Amino acid sequence: MPHAPVHQLVFTIKDRCRVCYTCVRECPVKAIKINNGQAEVINERCIGCGNCIKVCSQGAKVFLNSTGELIELLASHDKVAACIAPSFPAEFSEIEDYHIFIGMLKKLGFNFILETGFGADLVALEYKKILEDESSKPIISSDCPSIVFFIEQYHPELTTSLAKIVSPMVAMSRITKKKYGENCKVVFIGPCIAKKVESNEIDVVLTFKEIRRLFEQYNITPENTEPSDFDPPFAGKGSIFPVNHGLLQTIPLKDEIKENDIIIAEGHINFREAVLEFENGLLNSQHLELLCCDGCILGPGMTDQGKRYLKSKLVGNYVKNKLENLDEKQWEKDIDDFSEIDMTQEFEIKDRRIKLPSKEEIDKVLISIGKFEYADYLNCGACGYNTCEEHAIAIVQGFAENEMCLPYSIEKLHKSVKELNISNDKLASARQALKQSEKLASMGQLSAGIAHELNNPLGIISMYSNILKEESSPESQVYQDLELIAEQAERCKKIVGGLLNFARKNQVSVSNVNIEQFILLSIESIIVPENIRINIKAKLQNPIVQIDPDQMMQVLVNIEKNAIEAMPEGGDLLITLYEEKNDFVINLQDTGTGISEENMDKIFTPFFTTKPIGKGTGLGLPIIYGIIKMHKGRIDVKSNNNPEKGVTGTTFTITIPRTRPD
Ligand code: ADP
Ligand code: MG
């Protein structure tokens, strides 16, 4: 029997999905794909068991709604029969008299209401024939559509073992057509969603949940409804079918057959184990009676899940009552009349197994989720897969994502926090540098103003003291005093010039300079005491850079002099030259006294000096800072003045673009 075109059976309401992977865990065939953290059901892989709907605490999984289709059908001119699954007493327990329930369905517009239990009666007789025939091969029951899909899709070699008997629903459809005419439309109402795609012999399949919705929509209540009754043929023991072990309770089998020859497995874990053992030949000649749910009374189309024993009792009581009033003669006659209907069906192999990825592919993914060796395989199941390896396979197959691995995600989070801390620290030091440069900028403005104002009077002092000097005799005291005035005025002018430099009032005029030779030149222009060794290491591909030679000479000489002054007992100055992308870097490392932590903040401030009066002006580094800035470069300092922390000394690092952009 061909199956109906496959509809998407289960949908995800994305807003509700909270990514807990419970549906992945509970899906017996792993038909759920996680894509960008969202769970979606892959229809081709789904067997319609509805487990994902049952287990989703957020109600994010919903099944195909067929109410619109039913309303259309009822509005047509066709006669429409409703075949009611025998589990209905477990669903509509609030309606005390089932006749009212039948009345409500009639009110909705059905022409006939039939008991699917009668179909089960006939199907059970077909099973009895096989089970009591000692020569028959072991079979797997085929009354549960999810089981049939499971075998066809995931154990296709077992398809030939499926009992070639229709389900009670399809049996009932054939019975209905025989009794009420081929043109009569058939609607099945039950607890199952897989039935919606089981067979194209049924026009519409609705769940109890959907029927409730329609009752509400059309305001059909027990109070406003007249009682009615099922239309014939009436069911016998077949009505007990939906309760667990149903099929066996239906057929009057010999006890030893029940015990020895049939294995009953219900629920999504048990049925898979049974199929595996069956497939591996561990079960001898035993038949399998399989149900995907723990009895149809726990199907996903029931309004409430759980309360299995109450539900069994409700169905049991209903059947007991019915059987007490059953006209057995009529039942036997009906069975006889309809037993000539063909109750066979064929199955189709629909192999949905996916080739396993290679070991290399799996290992690669395992490493990407931090599983380097066997000890890392926690198999915690948080991802929804039983083992890390199963998860990795699903990742290769495109059904799962790395982030689903909880230990991996936690570790990644830790790493991010660490990285965040590092960039936080970087931000803090950048803020510090900004503060420093703001401070220097405002000092620069101030000094520029002062220097400008002082320049002219200093010039006048210098000029007039020189004129006066020339007019007096060189031997006189006045001459010597004037010489001192002129000398000191000259010194003041130098300081003022330095201030102007720091304030960036000067322009840079760059030219191509061989920086290696330039550094040698800077060393030649200072006096290096004997106890100090200077080493130069140059690692430049191309030593030509664009700088302002006069200003850069000032920079190098100032730093070199500072280094020498910091090493009164002698030491080493190592100058390293290297490239970094488009920059060149000069590193000047001395083994001097170092700079204390509290002074580190102050060394670029004008007039800050730790040297005695007359020796230091505190203008060297501020001027250097200004010049480097004008070259669009950077100057960094590292220093250690504590011998307990290792060799003392200071390193200045100057980074400047190799060429000027403008
Ligand atoms: P000055 O040399 O006139 O004191 P600078 O601006 O050149 O002024 O330097 C400011 C201060 O920075 C110095 O007084 C010294 O305390 C400190 N300093 C600079 N370079 C070094 C160095 N290589 N080692 C130790 N301290 C240094
Ligand atoms: Mg100095």
Side-chain angles (χ1 to χ4, degrees):
M1 174 181 60
H3 289 288
V6 184
H7 298 286
Q8 176 89 31
L9 260 187
V10 182
F11 304 87
T12 306
I13 302 175
K14 296 218 153 127
D15 291 346
R16 289 197 192 157
C17 176
R18 304 275 296 274
V19 220
C20 63
Y21 311 131
T22 305
C23 54
V24 176
R25 189 171 306 119
E26 296 293 324
C27 177
V29 293
K30 299 290 178 255
I32 291 171
K33 175 177 177 172
I34 303 291
N35 193 6
N36 286 328
Q38 286 282 338
E40 59 189 65
V41 177
I42 310 160
N43 202 46
E44 302 79 62
R45 298 185 58 77
C46 179
I47 58 168
C49 69
N51 249 322
C52 54
I53 301 172
K54 290 191 219 167
V55 297
C56 182
S57 65
Q58 303 300 307
K61 292 272 180 294
V62 290
F63 56 77
L64 176 72
N65 177 3
S66 313
T67 53
E69 237 182 304
L70 176 68
I71 289 172
E72 248 173 60
L73 189 65
L74 290 174
S76 71
H77 296 294
D78 295 312
K79 294 261 182 253
V80 182
C83 299
I84 311 303
S87 50
F88 81 90
E91 167 75 24
F92 295 96
S93 57
E94 77 281 12
I95 304 173
E96 270 166 37
D97 181 358
Y98 79 88
H99 293 93
I100 297 286
F101 173 60
I102 309 298
M104 289 165 80
L105 288 171
K106 284 248 160 96
K107 214 169 167 179
L108 205 54
F110 290 107
N111 303 91
F112 314 107
I113 315 287
L114 294 138
E115 290 179 277
T116 306
F118 184 76
D121 284 334
L122 274 175
V123 165
L125 289 172
E126 297 294 322
Y127 275 96
K128 183 177 159 74
K129 278 185 218 159
I130 297 178
L131 300 182
E132 289 185 346
D133 175 1
E134 279 171 20
S135 69
S136 74
K137 276 197 320 174
I139 55 150
I140 299 172
S141 63
S142 62
D143 40 292
C144 170
S146 288
I147 297 290
V148 172
F149 296 149
F150 179 73
I151 300 286
E152 289 174 333
Q153 297 178 198
Y154 300 101
H155 295 270
E157 285 82 13
L158 295 183
T159 303
T160 49
S161 297
L162 283 167
K164 292 190 166 57
I165 304 172
V166 293
S167 70
M169 172 184 83
V170 175
M172 206 53 216
S173 167
R174 294 180 186 179
I175 292 161
T176 306
K177 301 246 177 191
K178 180 164 184 202
K179 173 122 187 134
Y180 295 101
E182 280 302 316
N183 292 331
C184 182
K185 301 291 182 205
V186 179
V187 173
F188 177 78
I189 299 167
C192 181
I193 62 167
K195 291 247 173 243
K196 286 177 185 277
V197 290
E198 179 188 324
S199 162
N200 53 12
E201 290 185 47
I202 318 296
D203 294 287
V204 182
V205 172
L206 253 76
T207 60
F208 291 137
K209 268 189 202 171
E210 289 166 283
I211 276 293
R212 271 194 191 278
R213 224 178 290 152
L214 287 175
F215 284 159
E216 237 167 71
Q217 192 179 330
Y218 290 92
N219 190 29
I220 299 171
T221 65
E223 292 72 34
N224 64 21
T225 301
E226 292 294 317
S228 182
D229 206 347
F230 281 115
D231 293 288
F234 301 114
K237 275 182 109 179
S239 295
I240 203 76
F241 199 76
V243 180
N244 46 356
H245 304 194
L247 184 68
L248 297 187
Q249 293 194 42
T250 310
I251 336 172
L253 285 170
K254 288 182 219 134
D255 278 351
E256 67 267 22
I257 292 186
K258 281 190 194 177
E259 275 167 25
N260 301 331
D261 294 343
I262 303 171
I263 286 169
I264 302 162
E266 291 159 328
H268 74 92
I269 294 171
N270 298 337
F271 89 73
R272 277 182 292 159
E273 279 178 12
V275 168
L276 277 181
E277 290 184 28
F278 185 91
E279 187 166 55
N280 293 331
L282 304 176
L283 305 181
N284 299 327
S285 56
Q286 284 163 306
H287 303 291
L288 289 188
E289 161 67 9
L290 305 179
L291 284 182
C292 191
C293 301
D294 281 311
C296 302
I297 47 172
L298 295 178
M302 304 286 287
T303 305
D304 288 321
Q305 292 300 317
K307 298 207 195 98
R308 98 160 56 171
Y309 301 103
L310 172 68
K311 283 175 178 165
S312 303
K313 196 180 87 182
L314 287 166
V315 174
N317 285 349
Y318 166 80
V319 176
K320 197 167 146 246
N321 260 331
K322 285 275 290 181
L323 289 179
E324 275 167 12
N325 298 315
L326 182 71
D327 178 347
E328 274 187 50
K329 284 251 158 57
Q330 181 59 44
W331 180 78
E332 273 165 25
K333 188 178 172 298
D334 286 338
I335 291 288
D336 227 42
D337 283 353
F338 291 103
S339 59
E340 52 194 65
I341 296 179
D342 175 20
M343 287 296 172
T344 60
Q345 72 163 323
E346 293 298 328
F347 301 96
E348 235 186 285
I349 288 180
K350 285 177 248 155
D351 195 349
R352 298 281 150 76
R353 290 172 301 182
I354 300 176
K355 212 178 126 235
L356 276 186
S358 69
K359 191 173 175 321
E360 289 75 47
E361 284 174 297
I362 299 172
D363 285 348
K364 206 168 128 198
V365 168
L366 280 167
I367 286 170
S368 78
I369 51 175
K371 317 282 180 251
F372 299 98
E373 52 184 359
Y374 200 70
D376 298 329
Y377 296 19
L378 301 181
N379 299 332
C380 67
C383 57
Y385 291 88
N386 281 336
T387 63
C388 298
E389 197 170 338
E390 277 178 38
H391 181 203
I393 292 171
I395 293 175
V396 179
Q397 291 170 340
F399 297 141
E401 297 177 334
N402 289 18
E403 285 67 27
M404 293 163 73
C405 176
L406 192 66
Y408 163 77
S409 289
I410 290 176
E411 198 163 315
K412 214 166 116 183
L413 213 66
H414 278 308
K415 240 192 225 157
S416 307
V417 169
K418 229 192 225 161
E419 276 166 16
L420 224 59
N421 277 340
I422 291 173
S423 46
N424 219 6
D425 289 349
K426 275 191 188 157
L427 216 64
S429 69
R431 201 192 295 137
Q432 182 66 29
L434 198 70
K435 232 168 84 187
Q436 173 82 350
S437 75
E438 269 172 10
K439 194 167 84 185
L440 294 184
S442 63
M443 295 207 71
Q445 257 174 348
L446 183 71
S447 354
I450 295 171
H452 188 77
E453 291 303 319
L454 289 182
N455 230 4
N456 290 341
L458 275 175
I460 293 169
I461 292 171
S462 165
M463 188 174 79
Y464 278 94
S465 49
N466 277 319
I467 293 171
L468 285 174
K469 207 175 80 181
E470 273 163 31
E471 283 173 5
S472 49
S473 121
E475 279 81 41
S476 66
Q477 178 65 34
V478 176
Y479 183 91
Q480 280 172 27
D481 292 349
L482 283 169
E483 196 171 59
L484 194 65
I485 292 173
E487 210 180 274
Q488 292 303 314
E490 212 42 53
R491 189 166 164 232
C492 286
K493 276 190 84 176
K494 258 196 191 149
I495 294 177
V496 166
L499 275 181
L500 277 173
N501 240 339
F502 161 69
R504 304 177 210 175
K505 282 289 164 191
N506 275 351
Q507 298 289 318
V508 260
S509 68
V510 299
S511 50
N512 285 342
V513 171
N514 181 324
I515 188 72
E516 288 177 21
Q517 288 170 8
F518 191 72
I519 285 178
L520 281 176
L521 204 67
S522 76
I523 295 188
E524 280 163 17
S525 62
I526 54 172
I527 301 159
V528 183
E530 277 189 357
N531 59 359
I532 285 177
R533 287 174 303 270
I534 299 186
N535 263 308
I536 302 174
K537 275 190 197 158
K539 298 171 195 158
L540 287 184
Q541 300 261 355
N542 169 13
I544 306 299
V545 299
Q546 289 182 341
I547 50 172
D548 180 320
D550 289 342
Q551 295 190 20
M552 278 307 284
M553 187 53 74
Q554 230 179 319
V555 168
L556 291 174
V557 165
N558 265 320
I559 295 180
E560 287 156 6
K561 275 188 180 164
N562 278 348
I564 290 167
E565 280 163 16
M567 300 186 281
E569 314 285 327
D572 289 291
L573 172 63
L574 174 64
I575 304 177
T576 326
L577 195 59
Y578 57 92
E579 278 154 317
E580 218 168 55
K581 286 188 198 152
N582 297 324
D583 298 331
F584 72 94
V585 183
I586 310 170
N587 211 52
L588 300 108
Q589 181 180 10
D590 66 51
T591 55
T593 51
I595 303 168
S596 73
E597 228 163 274
E598 53 163 323
N599 284 349
M600 281 293 262
D601 271 359
K602 304 178 192 155
I603 54 173
F604 290 103
T605 311
F607 305 114
F608 173 79
T609 176
T610 54
K611 293 166 192 169
I613 301 171
K615 193 107 205 276
T617 58
L619 278 176
L621 287 176
I623 289 168
I624 289 171
Y625 184 88
I627 294 171
I628 304 282
K629 280 287 148 200
M630 280 191 291
H631 280 78
K632 307 230 181 296
R634 216 175 61 229
I635 178 160
D636 302 298
V637 205
K638 265 192 201 145
S639 191
N640 172 33
N641 73 332
N642 182 358
E644 282 171 24
K645 287 186 188 162
V647 187
T648 60
T650 305
T651 307
F652 282 89
T653 308
I654 298 166
T655 311
I656 290 178
R658 170 184 281 286
T659 52
R660 284 188 64 87
D662 39 313

